[in-house]
Amino acid sequence: MFAVYAESFSPEDPLSGLTIGERPEPDVPDGWTTVTVKAASLNHHDLWTLRGVGIKQEQLPMIIGCDAAGIDEDGHEVVVHSVISDPSFSGADETMDPKRSLLSERYQGTFADKVTVPRKNVVPKPESLSFEEAACLPTAWLTAYRMLFVQGGCRPGDTVLVQGAGGGVSTALIALARAGGLKVFATSRDETKRQRALDLGAHAVFETGERLPVTVDAVMETVGQATWLHSIRSLRVGGTLVTTGATSGNMPPDMGLTRIFFLQLRVIGSTMGTRGELASLVTMMDATGVRPVIDRVLPMEDARQGLEAMAQGDIFGKIVFTR
Ligand SMILES: NC(=O)c1ccc[n+]([C@@H]2O[C@H](COP(=O)([O-])OP(=O)(O)OC[C@H]3O[C@@H](n4cnc5c(N)ncnc54)[C@H](OP(=O)(O)O)[C@@H]3O)[C@@H](O)[C@H]2O)c1
């Protein structure tokens, strides 16, 4: 079948290991289903994979891609939940399974004609969402949902700061926070992206690192090193920082430790979300009419072009591949 896969890793030149060609049809273990992929979306995770982060040499070749929407074996339109828990895991929150993995880490990913997942890892796609829109939800939008409403404990009326407005997760954070009744601040390095964040629903936008007019209840962090200290400094006493990524590096020169303990800040990690949270997100999208920001839609054959744009940071929202 057609597939976009990693044949080798390169931390410096991640696209050098990208291959677009043919891979064998997937094996289907008992209790798993095969989804015919109609659309898949790109995440920074796919660049990390090509850099060799979170995956071992012996797992190559690996089809990349965490996100997909398509049609399952029974003909149902579905959204794929990318968090695969270990069969021995019996807890309610798959993200807390120490042996969990995301598609394209242990199991083959979604940039292909077909992807195979445990039957419980599909969620019905409502008619109101296109395949392209639904394909944006399983990683970036689910991560944003959990950051805000689960780990961040954000409530209507709270004020939240979203760092790095242009990213897939960040655009989801802005749109979901606005739909959830929060006051939304956002930062970006780029004037055009700041304007687009306002159009998307942010109440106010700031240059990266600019002092805010007031402190906020919560900060949503995906950028890491480049914005960490500003995030800490932007919080009110007892405020919450939710961290889920470190695109710019994971070694801030100053962690703001003194401020963290004096102001009794809470620093909370967040990763992906549960199947139940994905179902709630899908319902929220259906009910509110909020839709993912799609930067561009490309045929999956042009995946290299999408990855190049992401590597250059030249995007606002999600890049979607169609089959
Ligand atoms: N833990 C999880 O479950 C999980 C899930 C999804 C994503 N993530 C992680 O979250 C991060 C974002 O993912 P994504 O898919 O949204 O990536 P993306 O679309 O490539 O977004 C990157 C964002 O980072 C900002 N940025 C990058 N370098 C920066 C710098 N030097 N200074 C300031 N801002 C910078 C950009 O903001 P501007 O251009 O607007 O300034 C942009 O918004 C990645 O590290 C990813 O691995 C983690």
Side-chain angles (χ1 to χ4, degrees), residues 9 16 33 51 77 114 123 139 143 154-155 211 228 238 258 264 267 278-279 286-287 294:
F9 306 133
S16 61
T33 187
R51 288 194 168 103
E77 296 188 353
K114 293 175 186 165
V123 168
T139 296
T143 299
C154 293
R155 296 285 175 268
R211 191 184 175 130
W228 181 268
T258 312
Q264 303 190 72
V267 176
L278 179 60
D286 188 40
I294 297 181

Side-chain angles (χ1 to χ4, degrees), residues 28-34 72-74 76 78 116-123 275:
V28 190
D30 277 352
W32 289 46
T33 187
T34 301
D72 73 6
E73 285 168 355
D74 303 320
H76 300 126
V78 294
T116 304
V117 291
R119 278 190 177 275
K120 64 176 185 195
N121 277 69
V122 294
V123 168
R275 184 206 181 273

Side-chain angles (χ1 to χ4, degrees), residues 121-177:
N121 277 69
V122 294
V123 168
K125 177 186 91 57
E127 267 182 31
S128 62
L129 288 173
S130 67
F131 282 112
E132 287 87 346
E133 290 165 344
C136 297
L137 304 185
T139 296
W141 279 67
L142 177 60
T143 299
Y145 179 95
R146 184 174 171 95
M147 288 175 80
L148 282 167
F149 304 124
V150 183
Q151 303 297 74
C154 293
R155 296 285 175 268
D158 285 354
T159 300
V160 67
L161 169 66
V162 177
Q163 296 280 20
V169 179
S170 304
T171 50
L173 284 164
I174 293 169
L176 289 174

Side-chain angles (χ1 to χ4, degrees), residues 162-171 174 186-189 208 220 222-223 227:
V162 177
Q163 296 280 20
V169 179
S170 304
T171 50
I174 293 169
T187 66
S188 176
R189 298 163 295 176
T208 303
M220 302 293 127
T222 63
V223 178
T227 53

Side-chain angles (χ1 to χ4, degrees), residues 43-44 48 139 143 164-170 188-189 193 208 222-223 226-227 244-248 270-272 310 315:
N43 290 288
H44 220 95
W48 294 128
T139 296
T143 299
V169 179
S170 304
S188 176
R189 298 163 295 176
K193 289 185 188 177
T208 303
T222 63
V223 178
T227 53
T244 199
T247 306
S248 63
S270 191
T271 282
M272 300 294 284
M310 177 166 271
I315 52 172

Side-chain angles (χ1 to χ4, degrees), residues 234-246:
S234 299
L235 283 166
R236 66 160 168 80
V237 176
T240 302
L241 184 155
V242 183
T243 170
T244 199

